[in-house]
Amino acid sequence: MKINKVLDILGINKLNEGAATGTKWLKAGGEKIDSYSPVDGKLIASVTASSGKTYDNVVKQAQAAFEEWRMWPAPKRGEVVRQIGEALRKNKEPLGRLVSYEMGKSLQEGLGEVQEMIDIADFAVGLSRQLYGLTMHSERPMHRMYEQWHPLGVVGIISAFNFPVAVWSWNSFVAWVCGDTCVWKSSEKTPLTAIACQNIIAEVFKANKVPEGVCGLVVGGREIGELMSADPRIPLVSATGSTRMGKAVGAAVGARLGRALLELGGNNAIIVSEHADLDIALRACLFGAVGTAGQRCTTTRRLIIHDKVYDAFKKKLVAAYKQLNIGDPLDEKNHVGPLIDKDAVNNYLHAISELKKQGAKVVVAGGVLDGKGYESGCYVKPCIYEVSNDMPIVQHETFAPLLYIMKYSKLEEAIRLQNDVPQGLSSAIMTLNMREAEQYLSHMGSDCGIANVNIGTSGAEIGGAFGGEKETGGGRESGSDSWKAYMRRQTNTINWGNTLPLAQGIKFTV
Ligand code: NAD
């Protein structure tokens, strides 16, 4: 499918308004954002970003819509999300292609990202009948005590460029069945995929007469994110992006005692034990390190390899890196696509020069590619360095295909190295030794939000709660009981007797 056809199907014009309340596009009023593809450097289309005033109107509409939307029974809200899942199934191919072309990930990953949206839609439909609270036994006679979950109001969603659509769906589909309305500030680097999503759901919202404002969109940069973080009308801001951004959002939301759900940077390691199946380990490490050109929050950045298998595994890795095809991500024969933009290329080059300064040893050299097929200037070579974990650059997340390797001899040492970084998102051990695996998963093991055995660090399923500890922000999204973040808990006690006994045995006589 040609890109012009993709844009046509998804309702993308040459110049698009970057603000909507659900089914209606507003005059956005902000600056023009041109979206260039990192694949070939061509201008795809432009968007007028939302001004502060338009943002204000979108939030007002979301507040008004909440009054009505919260009155819809949760399973009825779930039915709307079910139909959104259907609409995404129909549009999987064009939307997946646009994700791939605008962001630069492989077509398989672009389609996979849309599949993740479909999966979370299915999950949210089931959830719409399972927003359970507990009941407790009261200490007082003839009293009933229970807790229930109420919607919060308007949820603000700030998303990153690397998962331009899935992260929005993780948040909004769950928030909608919970009874919240949403305002999405998409990444300014991928505005067209956001507009495409808005067009897809608008049809469903229209057909179901969903109140205007349940799904707001504001395209814009950091300034709109800052407005959202400081906005007391937004009880929950769910922000995905760098740790730098998360610290700013967390501080602004905290200053007004709102809630922030933070999904921030990772610095993920795989421990390759002497007891590993090295073929499985190789595939996991390779996909984790070079998939999405190293631009996943769960990208494998560090390998901690047992000294008994270190040389053999390093050899396998180097051989595998030699087989990698770098090029147009829409062409299935390529394994590695471009970085998102030239700034990302500069960050990659900066990291390489820091590695040199800090004494790292090159195992596979990097570099920027040029010539035919690389005209966008965003294609770089995945590279490998031998490092020591305490080098400042190793402690930092560089969003590029840089892989750091180091040795260990005792499992405790490997776990210490793995945990000895500021971030705590994803982690894995490759071992067939049951004791090692269990130690790794115990409280003495990985300190990350995600810990795997014999699979890599990237590619989480939607059924689990997704997120990480420490500088990754502590948030949890997607499956399990993550929905609780989008609701407020209320404890209720009802006295159905004819006296007023007090708790804690207190007597109050008048
Ligand atoms: P980024 O931090 O530059 O931007 C993310 C979003 O935050 C954008 O929408 C941006 O406009 C907004 N923003 C930036 N500064 C802000 C501020 N001060 N206040 C409010 N909003 C602000 O990140 P990016 O380059 O788009 O994405 C890459 C980063 O995202 C990496 O660090 C990656 O690990 C992280 N990420 C984390 C997860 C996760 O689930 N943990 C998922 C995807 C990406």
Side-chain angles (χ1 to χ4, degrees):
M1 195 186 287
K2 288 261 184 305
I3 195 66
N4 283 345
K5 180 143 187 234
V6 165
L7 298 178
D8 216 35
I9 295 173
L10 298 173
I12 310 279
N13 305 312
K14 273 200 171 132
L15 178 61
N16 305 273
E17 294 296 345
T21 47
T23 65
K24 291 188 191 129
W25 290 100
L26 311 183
K27 272 243 157 291
E31 287 177 1
K32 190 166 96 148
I33 300 179
D34 293 326
S35 180
Y36 290 93
S37 169
V39 174
D40 53 16
K42 290 189 182 145
L43 177 69
I44 317 173
S46 305
V47 179
T48 307
S50 174
S51 65
K53 192 163 164 263
T54 308
Y55 160 81
D56 190 50
N57 288 336
V58 173
V59 176
K60 276 197 188 121
Q61 190 67 44
Q63 276 187 304
F66 176 63
E67 300 297 317
E68 195 184 330
W69 183 237
R70 65 181 174 175
M71 300 307 291
W72 285 40
K76 200 175 158 204
R77 298 192 294 254
E79 168 56 18
V80 174
V81 174
R82 188 191 67 74
Q83 292 177 33
I84 290 173
E86 290 301 305
L88 286 166
R89 279 182 176 88
K90 274 193 216 120
N91 286 284
K92 183 173 171 181
E93 171 77 21
L95 185 58
R97 273 186 186 273
L98 183 61
V99 167
S100 177
Y101 189 57
E102 190 178 38
M103 184 273 157
K105 61 175 71 178
S106 76
L107 179 58
Q108 281 313 308
E109 289 174 307
L111 294 170
E113 182 163 348
V114 182
Q115 185 57 47
E116 212 170 271
M117 302 172 83
I118 295 167
D119 294 343
I120 196 76
D122 288 352
F123 180 89
V125 177
L127 186 63
S128 70
R129 291 181 186 270
Q130 299 176 74
L131 302 168
Y132 301 139
L134 296 171
T135 63
M136 306 86 186
H137 284 257
S138 169
E139 65 186 51
R140 290 169 278 185
M142 295 178 181
H143 280 55
R144 184 163 70 83
M145 189 157 70
Y146 73 111
E147 64 184 23
Q148 53 175 334
W149 295 85
H150 295 307
L152 279 176
V154 184
V155 173
I157 302 165
I158 298 175
S159 61
F161 80 86
N162 66 327
F163 276 88
V165 291
V167 165
W168 164 71
S169 68
W170 288 7
N171 282 282
S172 58
F173 296 1
V174 171
W176 286 334
V177 300
C178 291
D180 299 316
T181 59
C182 296
V183 175
W184 178 21
K185 191 209 86 62
S186 62
S187 167
E188 62 276 33
K189 296 179 186 173
T190 48
L192 300 177
T193 48
I195 287 176
C197 288
Q198 193 75 23
N199 281 334
I200 291 169
I201 61 163
E203 295 299 313
V204 177
F205 276 32
K206 239 182 251 166
N208 288 276
K209 300 194 170 56
V210 170
E212 191 67 21
V214 167
C215 176
L217 170 69
V218 281
V219 172
R222 178 189 180 139
E223 326 70 58
I224 300 285
E226 284 171 349
L227 286 178
M228 195 175 250
S229 308
D231 194 335
R233 296 171 296 178
I234 301 195
L236 170 68
V237 177
S238 172
T240 301
S242 58
T243 294
R244 177 195 49 73
M245 174 283 286
K247 284 182 177 168
V249 171
V253 175
R256 61 177 173 88
L257 299 183
R259 282 196 212 169
L261 195 171
L262 301 175
E263 298 279 353
L264 313 175
N267 191 349
N268 317 293
I270 297 182
I271 297 173
V272 181
S273 146
E274 60 182 312
H275 306 294
D277 175 329
L278 290 188
D279 290 329
I280 289 190
L282 180 68
R283 264 183 284 150
C285 295
L286 192 65
F287 175 69
V290 308
T292 329
Q295 300 171 107
R296 284 187 182 214
C297 49
T298 52
T299 286
T300 308
R301 231 161 270 296
R302 297 175 298 137
L303 296 186
I304 304 164
I305 309 168
H306 195 276
D307 51 16
K308 281 196 188 144
V309 293
Y310 187 85
D311 290 335
F313 196 68
K314 188 167 101 176
K315 215 164 142 194
K316 275 177 186 275
L317 262 179
V318 172
Y321 266 58
K322 282 198 183 125
Q323 308 291 314
L324 292 174
N325 295 325
I326 307 165
D328 182 347
L330 289 141
D331 180 343
E332 273 181 49
K333 77 169 194 315
N334 291 323
H335 306 102
V336 183
L339 292 179
I340 181 72
D341 54 23
K342 299 251 175 70
D343 285 346
V345 174
N346 289 335
N347 290 339
Y348 161 88
L349 291 172
H350 172 76
I352 288 178
S353 96
E354 282 301 307
L355 282 159
K356 218 182 270 174
K357 275 193 221 153
Q358 292 168 25
K361 200 172 137 210
V362 189
V363 177
V364 173
V368 182
L369 295 161
D370 54 16
K372 194 163 163 21
Y374 302 131
E375 288 85 355
S376 69
C378 297
Y379 291 86
V380 301
K381 287 194 221 160
C383 50
I384 306 180
Y385 282 84
E386 258 169 343
V387 299
S388 119
N389 198 57
D390 55 8
M391 289 176 181
I393 192 71
V394 174
Q395 295 279 315
H396 174 83
E397 180 198 44
T398 303
F399 226 42
L402 292 162
L403 179 64
Y404 306 136
I405 59 175
M406 60 197 98
K407 266 186 208 173
Y408 79 93
S409 55
K410 287 240 161 35
L411 182 61
E412 290 71 23
E413 182 196 356
I415 292 171
R416 186 185 53 73
L417 286 170
Q418 185 214 274
N419 292 344
D420 197 13
V421 290
Q423 310 82 354
L425 181 51
S426 187
S427 60
I429 188 166
M430 296 288 155
T431 184
L432 300 178
N433 180 313
M434 185 266 257
R435 285 189 179 142
E436 279 194 340
E438 290 293 335
Q439 181 174 344
Y440 182 74
L441 297 178
S442 77
H443 59 280
M444 295 151 65
S446 168
D447 67 358
C448 293
I450 297 167
N452 297 330
V453 176
N454 293 330
I455 58 166
T457 56
S458 70
E461 293 185 26
I462 61 109
F466 181 88
E469 303 299 330
K470 303 190 296 189
E471 285 198 357
T472 303
R476 290 297 184 278
E477 278 176 8
S478 189
S480 185
D481 65 350
S482 306
W483 60 270
K484 290 178 177 168
Y486 303 87
M487 304 198 84
R488 62 185 169 87
R489 185 197 308 239
Q490 186 174 66
T491 303
N492 307 112
T493 312
I494 299 149
N495 174 4
W496 56 276
N498 51 14
T499 58
L500 185 69
L502 299 177
Q504 295 99 37
I506 292 168
K507 301 251 180 299
F508 183 71
T509 38
V510 277

